[in-house]
Amino acid sequence: MDEVVAPILGRRIVGIVIVLGLVALGPGALAGTAADSPQAAPARHASEEAPAVGTPAARSRPRVGLALSGGGARGLAHVGVLRVLEQLRVPVDCIAGTSMGSVVGGLYASGLSPGQIETAMKQVDWGDLFNDQPPRADLSYRRKQDDSSDFVDFELGLKEGRVVLPRGLIAGQKIGFLLQTLTLRTAGIDDFDRLPVPFRAVATDLGNGGMVVLARGDLAEALRASMSLPGTLAPVEIEGHLLVDGALVRNLPVDVVRGMGADIVIAVDVSTPLDPAESIKTVADVTRQVSGMLTRENMGSESVGADLLIRPDLSTISSTGFARSGIAVTRGEEAARAQAEALRRYAVPDDEFTAHLAQVRGTPTPAPIRIDAVRLEGTTRVDRRIIERKIRTRAGQTLDLDTLKADLSRLYDLGDFERVEYRLVPTDRGPDLVVRTREKSWGPNYLRFGLNFVNDLEGDSDYGVLARYTRTRMNPLGAEWRNDVRIGRTRLLASELFQPLDFSGRWFVAPGFQYNDRLFNDYERDRLVAEYNVEGITGALDVGTELGRYGEIRAGAIRGRVRASARVGASSLPRFDIGSGGWTAHLVIDRFDNPYFPFRGQLALLDLFLSRRDMGADLSYAKLLGSYTQVISRGRHHLYMSATGGTNLGSDVPFYDNFTLGGFLSLSGYKEAQLRGQVFGVARLGYFVKSEPLSGRLGRGVGVGGYVEAGNAWATNADVNLGDLIYTGTLVVGSDTIFGPIYLAYGQSDNGHGSFYLSVGRSFTGTNASIFRSY
């Protein structure tokens, strides 16, 4: 799965669960059920022989059925086959499909033409489709914080002291919405024999390994269940059964089509052949090969049972090669035309086929749908009043899919749901819009882990292993309790209770505390004179407001104590044991589309700290820090500009709380914190170009570029002099990998300071919000 799904498998290391799940099922476990007839499935999934579709004359001719196999992107070849069948006037009276075959077959059965299906498939952004996360710029700031805190992009649950894994790496939120939208014309039809073309979708029951033939229910949900690759896409629960990809038990459902009453079965096989042993090198390769073995095991007898087998030449198209969808359609057309003589035996006269198509297509343009009522289903942990405030679609309005998509995205953005779905339920007054939420089975308490590492390849390094535990939905207003731990050169323990003050979540109060123990070097010019150990503990109480999707403003009080002593260096160096306290204010606007490799957007930060004796501090002083970054892109070329500065506002900031510069992404070439002062400023201009995506086993692509900086730190405002500016240049090669962002860089200053850097987990722009706020 190299082009679409595999990047997610690789980035989320727990993809190994896929292999374990498949091995647990095992070929033996499925072999006994794969041969079961469709009638052996529960009665709710199978139906009696469907009535023929078409004119009375059509009912006297042989009934033609179509069996469409799974094959991922290769399955788009089915569209080409359907196009040729229509050109040759071969009517299709019933269809059964598996996986992508069920998607194409189900869309055709719902009344879409081959041209409409091809257009819809070409318009899909397949890479985005397999990424459930909404665009980052549209996330609430709280969720953006989770996204930009150096944590691996995978969430675990914690229940009763046990770690709980999600049931799939991808919940299928966007896939579900796409299928629901494409099948909207079938709203209210829950019997697949009542579709323009009778239809069946084949799935696998994860509970017993048996085949399930879906003949009733919601069409989009059936298609989604049939294509749920185990371990990658989360299973679909239908009437208490967990269903996954039907390819495991019946990838070419010829017998299912026979069971629908077909006299003639045309089968289309687009399955992927097995890989040679020497090409199997990774977990993803093993997963694909095991899945392929299970699929081939149930293919042989079915292909023999077809009256006509069409097998397109798809040797240049992988199961994830959706970018080559046009080629797949063409290959399907070519394979069908190669068997034109055999297909013409099932053709009907022009007038009869025209009548057949008219009945299959139905109304070319469905009438606008007026919503009679909006109903919510499925939620237990999230208060209904929170959900209702996220939905803009109203009863009495005409259904607008863009508005509805935004509604579902806002609900999914809450972070509580595995999937958010909709369906239209017919009533006497018009259809009701039912919004159904499926809460995360591994929630509501979550664990995340991460890694941060920087080394200048000369012995100076900073590293940390991070963990975050978050309890959510602690009360009806949606309180969250976030706890962070960092182990490494800097040790951190932080806890914050985020308590919204209303159901909109706009206003909040946030009490918290933080303990940190960190080491930093003290320099006199280029000479290292001491390594300081600074230990502090603080308590804080903030109140604030979220600025919608843009950011937040908060202000509050802080009180604590700081101790500092020289761990390495002269014993005469000062020691500190002081009280700290004062007022804080914080503003952030975060519109980056990616926290590590942003292609567009802005990030603005403003931090104010007023240390006050009457709040328990030993000294009164002030610090103000601000930063702004803008990223502009054209194609693969990206330009970014940033300016960062800090001032003491005319006060006297103590040594231990000075601003620092130096190290990777901060006047690179200098050592970490080598430059120190009460006032500083840095301007940066950078450029990078991104390559084509890497193999999904490694990462999402490589960025090559660099930046130039001008800045310095000064002891007081009176010392600020543009003639003292330090100029540096840095060359960077970086990649967004399965381990997080990795960079290899070299920085050189105009006065001879130079360093190489290897970094894992830091932002390319150096503007991660987490590195700017320290009280």
Side-chain angles (χ1 to χ4, degrees):
M1 302 181 179
D2 295 334
E3 296 132 5
V4 179
V5 180
I8 302 171
L9 291 175
R11 187 167 178 81
R12 304 176 184 185
I13 300 173
V14 294
I16 195 170
V17 174
I18 304 170
V19 179
L20 298 177
L22 291 173
V23 172
L25 284 175
L30 298 178
T33 58
D36 293 344
S37 68
Q39 290 77 12
R44 60 185 175 81
H45 294 127
S47 67
E48 299 300 324
E49 179 176 325
V53 176
T55 62
R59 294 174 185 151
S60 62
R61 60 172 171 77
R63 183 172 167 81
V64 178
L66 196 59
L68 304 179
S69 83
R74 298 161 62 95
L76 298 177
H78 294 315
V79 179
V81 173
L82 286 167
R83 177 172 289 149
V84 173
L85 291 179
E86 289 194 353
Q87 292 170 352
L88 296 176
R89 303 193 310 277
V90 177
V92 176
D93 300 306
C94 57
I95 302 175
T98 298
S99 196
M100 185 57 78
S102 75
V103 173
V104 174
L107 295 180
Y108 186 80
S110 73
L112 295 183
S113 69
Q116 289 173 316
I117 298 172
E118 181 179 14
T119 299
M121 296 298 101
K122 286 182 177 179
Q123 291 175 345
V124 172
D125 182 344
W126 292 96
D128 182 65
L129 191 70
F130 287 95
N131 176 14
D132 284 327
Q133 189 82 333
R136 186 177 184 275
D138 295 337
L139 292 176
S140 68
Y141 178 63
R142 189 112 185 125
R143 299 286 75 86
K144 287 176 182 174
Q145 286 179 306
D146 291 336
D147 188 43
S148 59
S149 300
D150 300 339
F151 291 104
V152 175
D153 186 20
F154 189 75
E155 180 183 75
L156 305 172
L158 188 64
K159 285 187 173 182
E160 299 177 353
R162 296 183 301 108
V163 174
V164 182
L165 294 172
R167 293 186 295 197
L169 298 180
I170 308 166
Q173 171 66 21
K174 292 180 181 177
I175 295 172
F177 184 85
L178 173 66
L179 295 176
Q180 288 169 324
T181 300
L182 292 176
T183 59
L184 194 59
R185 63 171 58 210
T186 67
I189 299 178
D190 62 0
D191 182 348
F192 297 165
D193 282 338
R194 293 177 51 222
L195 293 171
V197 179
F199 174 71
R200 300 291 184 269
V202 177
T204 301
D205 191 324
L206 198 57
N208 57 31
M211 179 174 71
V212 175
V213 179
L214 296 169
R216 303 184 61 86
D218 181 84
L219 177 60
E221 189 173 48
L223 303 184
R224 167 72 177 78
S226 181
M227 64 178 293
S228 294
L229 183 65
T232 302
L233 280 172
V236 174
E237 184 174 348
I238 298 180
E239 297 184 21
H241 292 257
L242 284 179
L243 304 181
V244 295
D245 199 318
L248 296 176
V249 289
R250 190 77 86 253
N251 196 40
L252 189 64
V254 171
D255 59 337
V256 176
V257 179
R258 293 281 186 203
M260 297 175 72
D263 302 303
I264 304 297
V265 177
I266 300 172
V268 184
D269 176 16
V270 297
S271 59
T272 305
L274 295 179
D275 295 329
E278 59 272 14
S279 69
I280 302 174
K281 301 180 184 302
T282 69
V283 170
D285 294 337
V286 173
T287 301
R288 181 175 58 248
Q289 190 79 343
V290 172
S291 179
M293 290 176 179
L294 298 176
T295 299
R296 288 176 64 86
E297 186 172 332
N298 66 72
M299 287 281 292
S301 60
E302 292 301 308
S303 60
V304 172
D307 296 283
L308 181 63
L309 178 64
I310 299 175
R311 187 170 281 150
D313 178 7
L314 301 170
S315 56
T316 62
I317 302 174
S318 70
S319 61
T320 56
F322 292 99
R324 301 171 65 83
S325 61
I327 297 176
V329 173
T330 300
R331 294 289 185 268
E333 292 182 19
E334 293 170 350
R337 287 198 182 96
Q339 302 209 41
E341 290 303 315
L343 288 171
R344 286 193 180 96
R345 289 180 294 180
Y346 314 123
V348 298
D350 281 343
D351 57 344
E352 184 176 337
F353 189 75
T354 299
H356 169 81
L357 270 191
Q359 186 166 342
V360 168
R361 293 286 187 269
T363 305
T365 304
I369 300 173
R370 181 183 174 278
I371 302 300
D372 184 66
V374 178
R375 296 190 276 124
L376 303 177
E377 292 182 356
T379 183
T380 59
R381 295 195 290 258
V382 184
D383 194 280
R384 293 176 63 89
R385 289 165 288 189
I386 294 176
I387 296 178
E388 289 167 354
R389 282 165 170 78
K390 300 290 184 181
I391 298 177
R392 305 287 187 266
T393 303
R394 297 286 183 263
Q397 296 179 345
T398 299
L399 179 64
D400 183 279
L401 288 177
D402 289 336
T403 301
L404 178 58
K405 183 177 182 179
D407 290 341
L408 302 187
S409 180
R410 279 190 292 272
L411 293 179
Y412 194 77
D413 170 35
L414 290 172
D416 299 277
F417 304 118
E418 182 175 352
R419 290 177 62 194
V420 182
E421 307 161 319
Y422 79 92
R423 58 190 176 96
L424 297 176
V425 178
T427 69
D428 294 338
R429 301 173 302 278
D432 286 352
L433 173 66
V434 177
V435 177
R436 178 173 178 80
T437 58
R438 297 177 183 267
E439 293 174 330
K440 291 178 178 177
S441 59
W442 61 97
N445 304 322
Y446 305 104
L447 280 173
R448 295 186 69 183
F449 298 93
L451 174 68
N452 190 287
F453 173 81
V454 178
N455 191 301
D456 66 0
L457 307 185
E458 294 179 1
D460 192 7
S461 65
D462 185 12
Y463 59 91
V465 177
L466 304 87
R468 170 171 289 175
Y469 169 64
T470 306
R471 293 190 62 183
T472 68
R473 303 299 162 189
M474 297 175 65
N475 56 38
L477 290 174
E480 287 187 11
W481 182 28
R482 177 184 289 169
N483 302 272
D484 289 347
V485 176
R486 188 180 195 272
I487 301 173
R489 183 178 174 88
T490 296
R491 291 176 289 177
L492 170 73
L493 176 62
S495 181
E496 180 187 76
L497 177 66
F498 181 85
Q499 176 62 67
L501 298 178
D502 59 15
F503 288 103
S504 70
R506 180 177 180 182
W507 293 93
F508 64 87
V509 60
F513 87 92
Q514 176 176 299
Y515 166 81
N516 64 72
D517 185 358
R518 59 194 177 98
L519 298 175
F520 71 89
N521 296 329
D522 182 30
Y523 291 87
E524 288 184 0
R525 297 185 181 273
D526 294 337
R527 187 170 66 92
L528 176 64
V529 297
E531 183 181 65
Y532 263 86
N533 178 218
V534 179
E535 183 180 15
I537 184 168
T538 57
L541 177 62
D542 288 351
V543 294
T545 181
E546 290 197 338
L547 304 176
R549 299 169 299 172
Y550 294 92
E552 73 170 20
I553 300 175
R554 63 166 66 193
I558 188 169
R559 183 99 180 247
R561 195 152 198 90
V562 179
R563 297 182 179 89
S565 61
R567 176 178 171 181
V568 178
S571 59
S572 60
L573 291 171
R575 300 170 60 92
F576 303 98
D577 187 352
I578 63 172
S580 64
W583 304 101
T584 66
H586 178 67
L587 165 68
V588 59
I589 303 294
D590 185 350
R591 297 291 290 163
F592 274 172
D593 62 340
N594 184 297
Y596 303 116
F597 286 89
F599 295 160
R600 62 187 61 85
Q602 312 84 33
L603 177 63
L605 297 160
L606 196 63
D607 266 327
L608 175 66
F609 176 43
L610 302 176
S611 177
R612 292 294 179 261
R613 286 191 175 93
D614 56 8
M615 291 288 290
D618 286 13
L619 299 171
S620 291
Y621 60 92
K623 290 176 62 178
L624 177 65
L625 182 148
S627 174
Y628 179 80
T629 302
Q630 174 75 51
V631 181
I632 303 172
S633 297
R634 176 167 293 183
R636 298 191 299 122
H637 303 276
H638 312 287
L639 178 72
Y640 71 93
M641 301 163 285
S642 72
T644 305
T647 175
N648 58 6
L649 296 175
S651 65
D652 188 12
V653 177
F655 165 80
Y656 55 81
D657 208 13
N658 278 348
F659 298 111
T660 62
L661 293 174
F664 182 52
L665 300 169
S666 178
L667 290 183
S668 301
Y670 282 81
K671 298 293 187 181
E672 186 90 19
Q674 185 172 349
L675 303 172
R676 178 183 301 276
Q678 299 191 43
V679 182
F680 86 98
V682 178
R684 180 182 295 119
L685 177 65
Y687 163 83
F688 70 97
V689 59
K690 188 177 180 183
S691 72
E692 295 300 321
L694 294 173
S695 164
R697 306 175 185 92
L698 299 176
R700 300 180 181 179
V702 172
V704 180
Y707 55 90
V708 293
E709 298 172 289
N712 206 343
W714 297 273
T716 67
N717 286 315
D719 297 323
V720 176
N721 185 344
L722 295 183
D724 293 339
L725 290 179
I726 297 169
Y727 299 92
T728 67
T730 305
L731 298 176
V732 181
V733 177
S735 180
D736 196 2
T737 75
I738 61 175
F739 308 103
I742 295 180
Y743 309 97
L744 180 63
Y746 176 76
Q748 177 72 49
S749 73
D750 61 339
N751 53 15
H753 294 82
S755 290
F756 284 96
Y757 301 95
L758 175 63
S759 171
V760 177
R762 283 202 181 184
S763 167
F764 180 72
T765 60
T767 51
N768 230 354
S770 61
I771 69 173
F772 276 99
R773 192 179 188 200
S774 60
Y775 298 137

